[in-house]
Amino acid sequence: MSTTSAPTARPPAPRRRRWPWLLLAAAVVLGLLAVLLGPRLYARSQEGRAAAPLSSPAATAAATATAAAEDRALDGTWRVGGGTAGYRVDEVLNGRDVTVTGRTEQVGGELTVAGGQLTAGTVTVDLASVTTDSGARDGQFRRLLGVEANPAATFTLTGPVPLGGLDAGTTLAVTLPGTLSINGRERPVQVPATVERAAAGPVTVTGAAGVTWADFDVQAPDLGFVSVEDTGTVEFAVTATPA
């Protein structure tokens, strides 16, 4: 008489743990969202933060820069005692331009008027005090511009500028020939500007000049996801009073 043993039951197969794969999938999705939405969110966060251009007032219709001013009260030394200066650049983030502005009120200088013409002038800007809305960006700005070794940017007039028509209460459109010094490098510039003479005496000079950073041995940063354009604008609006 033979006996047949009952088949041995196999233990249930262990359930595969799915949560590591779910976590991996979630991380991939979040990474894709960061790549796709990050630039847009950053661009939106920067909208409206750029300072308005240091715009020049409209030149008086009767003003002309082709002749010397007849008002000899202009002659003498004028000291720059206040104003604003800074820069304007575009950051490119995945093809989107985001305008960034840096500003400081730490400006100084001196202007000389002789024979009704602006014959000499310097304007100096303390670069270490230029700030944006980001401390990290400001630190990088100072490093790239070599602020530790060259703490100031300076504009120096190199040719006379006739001030014909600059009477009290008028604004004159002029071009300021000069040299701009940044990062220990000097480059010639022609700065479109206005000279506004208040009735009470102060004179305000407002202008902006386009710059190419490589001309001043400054490498525009490129971090992969965000880069800075190779060109920018230096802006200023300074007020001078008789010394």
Side-chain angles (χ1 to χ4, degrees), residues 107-163:
V107 295
E110 196 171 84
L111 310 175
T112 302
V113 179
Q117 298 187 89
L118 180 63
T119 58
T122 59
V123 175
T124 300
V125 179
D126 176 20
L127 294 178
S129 64
V130 175
T131 58
T132 65
D133 61 344
S134 168
R137 182 191 291 117
D138 298 341
Q140 186 178 62
F141 165 85
R142 296 178 187 123
R143 179 179 60 81
L144 292 172
L145 267 65
V147 170
E148 185 173 349
N150 302 284
T154 303
F155 171 80
T156 304
L157 191 72
T158 57
V161 179
L163 299 177

Coordinates of all heavy atoms in Angstrom, one line a residue, residues 107-163:
V107 N 28.4 109.8 -4.5 CA 29.0 110.4 -5.7 C 29.6 111.7 -5.3 O 29.2 112.4 -4.4 CB 28.0 110.6 -6.9 CG1 27.5 109.3 -7.4 CG2 26.8 111.5 -6.5
G108 N 30.6 112.1 -6.0 CA 31.3 113.4 -5.8 C 32.0 113.9 -7.0 O 32.0 113.2 -8.1
G109 N 32.6 115.0 -6.9 CA 33.3 115.5 -8.1 C 33.4 117.0 -8.2 O 33.0 117.7 -7.2
E110 N 33.8 117.5 -9.3 CA 34.0 119.0 -9.4 C 33.9 119.3 -10.9 O 34.4 118.6 -11.8 CB 35.4 119.4 -8.9 CG 35.5 120.9 -8.6 CD 36.8 121.2 -7.9 OE1 37.9 121.3 -8.5 OE2 36.8 121.3 -6.6
L111 N 33.3 120.5 -11.2 CA 33.2 121.0 -12.6 C 33.8 122.4 -12.6 O 33.7 123.1 -11.7 CB 31.7 121.0 -13.0 CG 30.9 119.8 -12.8 CD1 29.4 120.0 -13.1 CD2 31.4 118.6 -13.6
T112 N 34.3 122.7 -13.8 CA 34.9 124.0 -14.0 C 34.3 124.7 -15.2 O 34.3 124.0 -16.3 CB 36.4 124.0 -14.1 OG1 37.0 123.4 -13.0 CG2 37.0 125.4 -14.3
V113 N 33.8 125.9 -15.1 CA 33.3 126.6 -16.2 C 34.1 127.9 -16.4 O 34.4 128.6 -15.5 CB 31.8 127.0 -16.0 CG1 31.2 127.8 -17.2 CG2 30.9 125.8 -15.8
A114 N 34.6 128.1 -17.6 CA 35.4 129.3 -18.0 C 35.0 129.8 -19.3 O 34.9 129.0 -20.3 CB 36.9 128.9 -17.9
G115 N 34.8 131.1 -19.4 CA 34.4 131.6 -20.7 C 33.1 131.1 -21.2 O 32.9 131.0 -22.4
G116 N 32.2 130.7 -20.3 CA 30.9 130.2 -20.8 C 30.9 128.8 -21.3 O 29.9 128.3 -21.9
Q117 N 32.0 128.0 -21.0 CA 32.1 126.7 -21.5 C 32.5 125.8 -20.3 O 33.2 126.2 -19.4 CB 33.2 126.5 -22.5 CG 32.9 127.3 -23.8 CD 33.9 126.9 -24.9 OE1 33.8 125.9 -25.6 NE2 35.0 127.6 -24.9
L118 N 32.0 124.6 -20.3 CA 32.5 123.6 -19.3 C 33.8 123.1 -19.8 O 33.9 122.4 -20.8 CB 31.4 122.4 -19.3 CG 31.8 121.3 -18.3 CD1 31.8 121.8 -16.8 CD2 30.7 120.2 -18.4
T119 N 34.9 123.4 -19.1 CA 36.2 123.1 -19.5 C 36.9 122.0 -18.8 O 37.9 121.4 -19.3 CB 37.1 124.4 -19.4 OG1 37.1 124.8 -18.0 CG2 36.6 125.5 -20.2
A120 N 36.4 121.6 -17.7 CA 37.0 120.5 -16.9 C 35.9 119.9 -16.0 O 34.9 120.6 -15.6 CB 38.2 120.9 -16.1
G121 N 36.1 118.6 -15.7 CA 35.1 118.0 -14.8 C 35.5 116.6 -14.5 O 36.0 115.9 -15.3
T122 N 35.2 116.2 -13.3 CA 35.3 114.8 -12.9 C 34.1 114.4 -12.0 O 33.6 115.3 -11.2 CB 36.6 114.5 -12.0 OG1 36.6 115.4 -10.9 CG2 37.8 114.8 -12.9
V123 N 33.6 113.2 -12.2 CA 32.6 112.7 -11.3 C 33.1 111.3 -10.9 O 33.5 110.5 -11.7 CB 31.2 112.5 -12.1 CG1 30.2 111.8 -11.2 CG2 30.7 113.9 -12.5
T124 N 33.0 111.1 -9.6 CA 33.5 109.8 -9.0 C 32.4 109.1 -8.3 O 31.6 109.7 -7.5 CB 34.7 110.1 -8.0 OG1 35.7 110.8 -8.7 CG2 35.2 108.8 -7.4
V125 N 32.3 107.8 -8.5 CA 31.3 107.0 -7.9 C 31.9 105.9 -7.0 O 32.8 105.2 -7.4 CB 30.4 106.3 -9.0 CG1 29.3 105.4 -8.4 CG2 29.8 107.4 -9.9
D126 N 31.4 105.8 -5.8 CA 31.9 104.8 -4.9 C 31.3 103.4 -5.2 O 30.1 103.2 -4.9 CB 31.6 105.2 -3.4 CG 32.0 104.1 -2.4 OD1 32.8 103.2 -2.7 OD2 31.4 104.1 -1.3
L127 N 32.0 102.5 -5.9 CA 31.4 101.3 -6.3 C 31.0 100.3 -5.2 O 30.1 99.5 -5.4 CB 32.4 100.6 -7.3 CG 32.7 101.3 -8.6 CD1 33.7 100.5 -9.4 CD2 31.4 101.5 -9.4
A128 N 31.7 100.4 -4.1 CA 31.4 99.5 -3.0 C 30.1 99.8 -2.4 O 29.5 98.9 -1.7 CB 32.5 99.6 -1.9
S129 N 29.5 101.0 -2.6 CA 28.2 101.3 -2.1 C 27.1 101.0 -3.1 O 25.9 101.3 -2.7 CB 28.2 102.8 -1.6 OG 28.3 103.6 -2.7
V130 N 27.4 100.6 -4.3 CA 26.3 100.3 -5.3 C 25.6 99.0 -4.8 O 26.2 98.0 -4.6 CB 26.9 100.1 -6.7 CG1 25.8 99.7 -7.7 CG2 27.6 101.4 -7.1
T131 N 24.2 99.1 -4.7 CA 23.4 98.0 -4.3 C 22.3 97.7 -5.2 O 21.8 98.6 -5.9 CB 22.9 98.2 -2.9 OG1 22.1 99.4 -2.8 CG2 24.0 98.3 -1.9
T132 N 21.9 96.4 -5.3 CA 20.6 96.0 -6.0 C 19.7 95.5 -4.9 O 19.8 95.8 -3.7 CB 21.0 95.0 -7.1 OG1 21.4 93.8 -6.4 CG2 22.0 95.5 -8.0
D133 N 18.8 94.6 -5.4 CA 17.9 94.0 -4.4 C 18.4 92.6 -3.9 O 17.7 91.9 -3.2 CB 16.5 93.7 -5.0 CG 16.6 92.8 -6.2 OD1 17.7 92.6 -6.8 OD2 15.5 92.3 -6.7
S134 N 19.7 92.3 -4.2 CA 20.3 91.0 -3.9 C 21.7 91.2 -3.3 O 22.6 91.7 -4.1 CB 20.3 90.1 -5.1 OG 21.1 89.0 -4.8
G135 N 21.9 90.9 -2.1 CA 23.3 91.0 -1.5 C 24.2 90.1 -2.2 O 25.4 90.4 -2.4
A136 N 23.8 88.9 -2.6 CA 24.7 87.9 -3.3 C 25.1 88.5 -4.7 O 26.3 88.4 -5.1 CB 24.0 86.6 -3.6
R137 N 24.2 89.1 -5.4 CA 24.5 89.8 -6.7 C 25.5 90.9 -6.4 O 26.4 91.1 -7.2 CB 23.3 90.3 -7.4 CG 23.6 90.9 -8.7 CD 22.4 91.7 -9.3 NE 21.3 90.7 -9.7 CZ 20.1 90.7 -9.1 NH1 19.8 91.6 -8.1 NH2 19.2 89.9 -9.6
D138 N 25.3 91.7 -5.4 CA 26.2 92.8 -5.1 C 27.6 92.4 -4.8 O 28.6 93.0 -5.3 CB 25.6 93.6 -3.9 CG 24.3 94.2 -4.2 OD1 23.9 94.4 -5.3 OD2 23.6 94.6 -3.2
G139 N 27.7 91.3 -4.1 CA 29.1 90.7 -3.8 C 29.8 90.3 -5.1 O 31.0 90.5 -5.3
Q140 N 29.0 89.7 -6.0 CA 29.6 89.2 -7.3 C 30.0 90.5 -8.1 O 31.0 90.5 -8.8 CB 28.6 88.4 -8.0 CG 29.2 87.8 -9.3 CD 28.2 86.8 -10.0 OE1 27.2 87.3 -10.4 NE2 28.6 85.6 -10.1
F141 N 29.1 91.5 -8.1 CA 29.4 92.7 -8.8 C 30.7 93.3 -8.4 O 31.6 93.7 -9.2 CB 28.2 93.7 -8.6 CG 28.5 95.1 -9.0 CD1 28.4 95.6 -10.3 CD2 28.9 96.1 -8.0 CE1 28.6 96.9 -10.6 CE2 29.1 97.4 -8.3 CZ 29.0 97.8 -9.6
R142 N 30.9 93.4 -7.1 CA 32.2 94.0 -6.5 C 33.4 93.2 -6.9 O 34.5 93.7 -7.2 CB 32.0 94.2 -5.0 CG 30.9 95.2 -4.6 CD 30.8 95.3 -3.1 NE 29.6 96.1 -2.8 CZ 28.6 95.7 -2.1 NH1 28.6 94.5 -1.5 NH2 27.5 96.5 -1.9
R143 N 33.2 91.9 -6.9 CA 34.3 91.0 -7.2 C 34.7 91.1 -8.7 O 35.9 91.3 -9.0 CB 34.0 89.5 -6.9 CG 35.1 88.5 -7.2 CD 34.7 87.1 -6.9 NE 33.5 86.7 -7.6 CZ 33.5 86.3 -8.9 NH1 34.6 86.2 -9.5 NH2 32.4 85.9 -9.4
L144 N 33.7 91.1 -9.6 CA 34.0 91.2 -11.0 C 34.6 92.5 -11.4 O 35.4 92.6 -12.3 CB 32.7 91.0 -11.8 CG 32.1 89.6 -11.7 CD1 30.8 89.5 -12.4 CD2 33.1 88.6 -12.4
L145 N 34.2 93.6 -10.7 CA 34.7 94.9 -11.0 C 36.0 95.3 -10.3 O 36.5 96.4 -10.4 CB 33.6 96.0 -10.8 CG 32.8 96.4 -12.0 CD1 31.9 95.2 -12.4 CD2 31.9 97.6 -11.7
G146 N 36.5 94.3 -9.5 CA 37.7 94.6 -8.8 C 37.7 95.7 -7.8 O 38.6 96.5 -7.7
V147 N 36.5 95.8 -7.1 CA 36.3 97.0 -6.3 C 37.3 97.1 -5.1 O 37.7 98.2 -4.7 CB 34.9 96.9 -5.7 CG1 34.7 98.0 -4.6 CG2 33.9 97.1 -6.8
E148 N 37.8 95.9 -4.7 CA 38.8 96.0 -3.6 C 40.1 96.8 -4.0 O 40.6 97.6 -3.2 CB 39.2 94.6 -3.1 CG 40.1 94.6 -1.9 CD 40.3 93.2 -1.4 OE1 39.6 92.2 -1.8 OE2 41.2 93.0 -0.5
A149 N 40.5 96.5 -5.2 CA 41.7 97.2 -5.7 C 41.4 98.6 -6.4 O 42.2 99.5 -6.3 CB 42.4 96.3 -6.7
N150 N 40.2 98.7 -6.9 CA 39.8 99.9 -7.6 C 38.4 100.3 -7.2 O 37.4 100.0 -7.8 CB 39.8 99.7 -9.2 CG 41.1 99.3 -9.7 OD1 42.0 100.1 -9.8 ND2 41.3 98.0 -10.0
P151 N 38.3 100.9 -6.0 CA 37.0 101.2 -5.3 C 36.1 102.2 -6.0 O 34.9 102.3 -5.6 CB 37.4 101.6 -3.9 CG 38.8 102.2 -4.1 CD 39.4 101.4 -5.2
A152 N 36.6 102.9 -7.0 CA 35.8 104.0 -7.6 C 35.8 103.9 -9.1 O 36.7 103.4 -9.7 CB 36.3 105.4 -7.1
A153 N 34.7 104.3 -9.6 CA 34.6 104.6 -11.1 C 34.6 106.1 -11.3 O 34.0 106.8 -10.5 CB 33.3 104.0 -11.6
T154 N 35.3 106.5 -12.3 CA 35.5 108.0 -12.5 C 35.3 108.3 -14.0 O 35.8 107.7 -14.9 CB 36.9 108.4 -12.1 OG1 37.2 108.0 -10.7 CG2 37.1 109.9 -12.2
F155 N 34.5 109.4 -14.2 CA 34.4 110.0 -15.5 C 35.2 111.3 -15.5 O 35.0 112.1 -14.6 CB 32.9 110.3 -15.8 CG 32.8 111.1 -17.1 CD1 32.9 110.5 -18.3 CD2 32.6 112.5 -17.0 CE1 32.7 111.3 -19.5 CE2 32.4 113.3 -18.2 CZ 32.5 112.6 -19.4
T156 N 36.0 111.5 -16.5 CA 36.8 112.7 -16.6 C 36.6 113.4 -17.9 O 36.7 112.7 -19.0 CB 38.3 112.4 -16.4 OG1 38.6 111.7 -15.2 CG2 39.2 113.7 -16.5
L157 N 36.2 114.6 -17.9 CA 35.9 115.4 -19.2 C 37.2 115.6 -19.9 O 38.3 115.9 -19.3 CB 35.3 116.7 -18.8 CG 34.7 117.5 -20.0 CD1 33.4 116.8 -20.5 CD2 34.4 118.9 -19.6
T158 N 37.2 115.4 -21.2 CA 38.5 115.6 -22.0 C 38.4 116.6 -23.0 O 39.4 116.9 -23.8 CB 38.8 114.2 -22.7 OG1 37.7 113.8 -23.5 CG2 39.1 113.1 -21.7
G159 N 37.3 117.3 -23.1 CA 37.1 118.4 -24.1 C 36.1 119.4 -23.7 O 35.2 119.1 -22.9
P160 N 36.2 120.7 -24.1 CA 35.3 121.7 -23.7 C 33.9 121.5 -24.2 O 33.7 120.9 -25.3 CB 35.9 123.0 -24.3 CG 36.7 122.5 -25.5 CD 37.2 121.2 -25.1
V161 N 32.9 121.9 -23.4 CA 31.5 121.8 -23.8 C 30.9 123.2 -23.8 O 30.7 123.7 -22.7 CB 30.7 120.8 -22.9 CG1 29.3 120.7 -23.3 CG2 31.4 119.4 -22.9
P162 N 30.5 123.7 -24.9 CA 29.8 125.1 -24.9 C 28.5 125.0 -24.2 O 27.8 124.0 -24.3 CB 29.6 125.4 -26.4 CG 30.6 124.5 -27.1 CD 30.7 123.2 -26.3
L163 N 28.2 126.1 -23.4 CA 27.0 126.1 -22.7 C 26.1 127.2 -23.1 O 25.3 127.8 -22.3 CB 27.3 126.3 -21.2 CG 28.1 125.1 -20.5 CD1 28.5 125.5 -19.1 CD2 27.4 123.8 -20.6

